[in-house]
Amino acid sequence: MDITLSNILLVSFKNSQKKMTGSGKSPGVRRGCGLVGRRLRLQKRGDGAIVPCMQTACTKEELRALLAPVRGKQIVLVPTMGALHEGHASLLRRARALAGTEGCVVASVFLNPVQFDNAGDLATYPQTPEADLQTCRECGVDIVFMPTPEVMYCPDRSISLEETHLSTVLCGAKRPGHFAGVCLVVNKLFNLVQPTDAIFGKKDYQQLAILRRMVRDLDMPITLHGAEIVRGEDGLALSSRNVRLTPEHRAAAPVIRRSLLAAAELYASGASAEAVKAGVMTALSAVPGVVVDYVELVDAEHLHEVTDERRLALLAVAAFFGDVRLIDNIEITRNI
């Protein structure tokens, strides 16, 4: 992408705005979020490309207008719920590398109420929009989509999207309706953005498996990429919820990773599935204030009981440290 193309983007955006309203103004734009009346500035990205400065859309109309000039190019989407940390940043940087200098990186920042089965969890979920925008800017994102629930959902919505096999275990068994909400919002984002690629972290391993099934079963022309878990120096998987841990629970939380690593060695050496799970359960239950939600060993693809030990398996954990629910996992194999 060069300066000439950037000028084309500016003209295309202005034309799109005029088509939307006849006046060049976008309806329902929130202050500090819309693009109307702003001159498109150029910046030198980290990879040396001269590109338009990162743009923010808060309505579907704005998003479509911004994407119109890049249709036909590689568009990489990174969906997030905000409160971005280094784990999210790694996804954004990977998206930038995948899109290259000619493609477009889109990040969505949307706290999706439909996927929360616990109103208290939704109410306490961290929200840091200004910091999120700065993270996106530093990682080379081209477009940030920051809608409200009112923008994303009609008040009388009556369509749902539910996966009926992979979602019946692990977090799906513990959080009714959660993955139906995930599938719905991701499907909507895919329809709006029409990406060629999308990137999701493997910390939410079940989510990634379900979304891959959705893309396969609904014939969506999108390539999904799974990114490895990003961890702190002590091994704790990075999560937006970590900021809510008490100092005591934060200090104890790395036991999750240590127990998973020990269990992986046990499984590799031939220990039974029950023995492997029991080791993790014992380690976690020894921590004061920790309540184990589940410890499961499943096939890494279909997420149900391991029936062929030659296949890749997944050891997954969910546990409450006080009122904060943490999840983690590890892919494991037998030494056969």
Side-chain angles (χ1 to χ4, degrees):
M1 184 178 289
D2 54 27
I3 295 178
T4 301
L5 180 55
S6 299
N7 291 334
I8 292 173
L9 283 172
L10 175 57
V11 172
S12 298
F13 175 72
K14 287 182 176 178
N15 289 339
S16 297
Q17 291 290 313
K18 290 177 181 178
K19 288 178 182 178
M20 280 167 22
T21 66
S23 64
K25 293 185 179 181
S26 174
V29 179
R30 299 203 306 275
R31 178 174 295 181
C33 193
L35 302 163
V36 179
R38 296 186 184 181
R39 181 174 180 80
L40 193 63
R41 295 173 298 166
L42 302 179
Q43 64 180 357
K44 187 172 183 180
R45 206 166 54 200
D47 57 12
I50 303 299
V51 298
C53 290
M54 185 183 80
Q55 300 295 320
T56 305
C58 291
T59 69
K60 297 171 185 178
E61 293 81 10
E62 287 182 339
L63 179 63
R64 291 187 178 109
L66 283 173
L67 286 168
V70 296
R71 292 297 180 202
K73 295 182 178 293
Q74 188 168 22
I75 299 175
V76 186
L77 171 66
V78 181
T80 82
M81 292 205 301
L84 304 186
H85 49 67
E86 178 55 30
H88 296 106
S90 72
L91 304 182
L92 297 172
R93 288 192 293 267
R94 180 170 174 179
R96 181 74 271 160
L98 184 62
T101 59
E102 294 295 325
C104 177
V105 175
V106 180
S108 62
V109 177
F110 176 58
L111 185 58
N112 178 35
V114 179
Q115 71 188 68
F116 282 80
D117 61 308
N118 183 317
D121 189 23
L122 173 61
T124 58
Y125 197 90
Q127 296 186 67
T128 57
E130 293 302 323
D132 293 345
L133 286 171
Q134 183 60 27
T135 297
C136 289
R137 190 174 295 110
E138 292 172 354
C139 292
V141 172
D142 298 302
I143 300 170
V144 180
F145 183 42
M146 301 183 77
T148 62
E150 293 74 22
V151 167
M152 285 297 287
Y153 297 113
C154 295
D156 61 345
R157 67 179 182 85
S158 56
I159 299 295
S160 61
L161 188 60
E162 186 174 2
E163 194 282 332
T164 59
H165 182 64
L166 305 179
S167 61
T168 61
V169 296
L170 306 178
C171 287
K174 300 291 185 177
R175 303 182 63 188
H178 169 66
F179 286 115
V182 169
C183 287
L184 180 62
V185 74
V186 173
N187 186 63
K188 288 172 72 69
L189 288 170
F190 284 175
N191 287 335
L192 288 165
V193 178
Q194 298 176 33
T196 57
D197 304 81
I199 301 179
F200 297 87
K202 285 188 177 181
K203 184 173 74 70
D204 297 296
Y205 202 100
Q206 185 176 19
Q207 171 180 273
L208 177 59
I210 290 170
L211 293 176
R212 280 177 168 155
R213 183 67 61 92
M214 180 181 78
V215 166
R216 186 200 72 178
D217 287 0
L218 298 184
D219 299 310
M220 297 178 174
I222 304 168
T223 300
L224 299 192
H225 304 264
E228 297 301 324
I229 299 172
V230 177
R231 302 180 180 278
E233 293 183 0
D234 56 7
L236 180 63
L238 297 189
S239 169
S240 299
R241 291 181 171 89
N242 288 355
V243 297
R244 293 179 48 220
L245 292 168
T246 66
E248 294 77 15
H249 284 149
R250 177 59 186 84
V255 68
I256 302 175
R257 176 62 171 171
R258 292 196 300 270
S259 66
L260 288 174
L261 290 172
E265 292 184 6
L266 279 176
Y267 186 75
S269 65
S272 69
E274 291 306 315
V276 170
K277 292 190 292 183
V280 177
M281 182 71 75
T282 298
L284 295 178
S285 299
V287 179
V290 171
V291 177
V292 179
D293 201 11
Y294 67 76
V295 177
E296 297 291 348
L297 199 162
V298 298
D299 183 277
E301 181 179 357
H302 58 65
L303 304 184
H304 285 260
E305 181 181 359
V306 175
T307 56
D308 184 349
E309 294 189 348
R310 294 170 298 179
R311 289 169 55 84
L312 183 68
L314 179 77
L315 184 59
V317 172
F320 287 93
F321 283 65
D323 63 349
V324 181
R325 186 176 186 269
L326 301 180
I327 61 172
D328 204 347
N329 65 74
I330 189 171
E331 294 176 331
I332 58 178
T333 55
R334 292 285 196 195
N335 288 335
I336 299 177

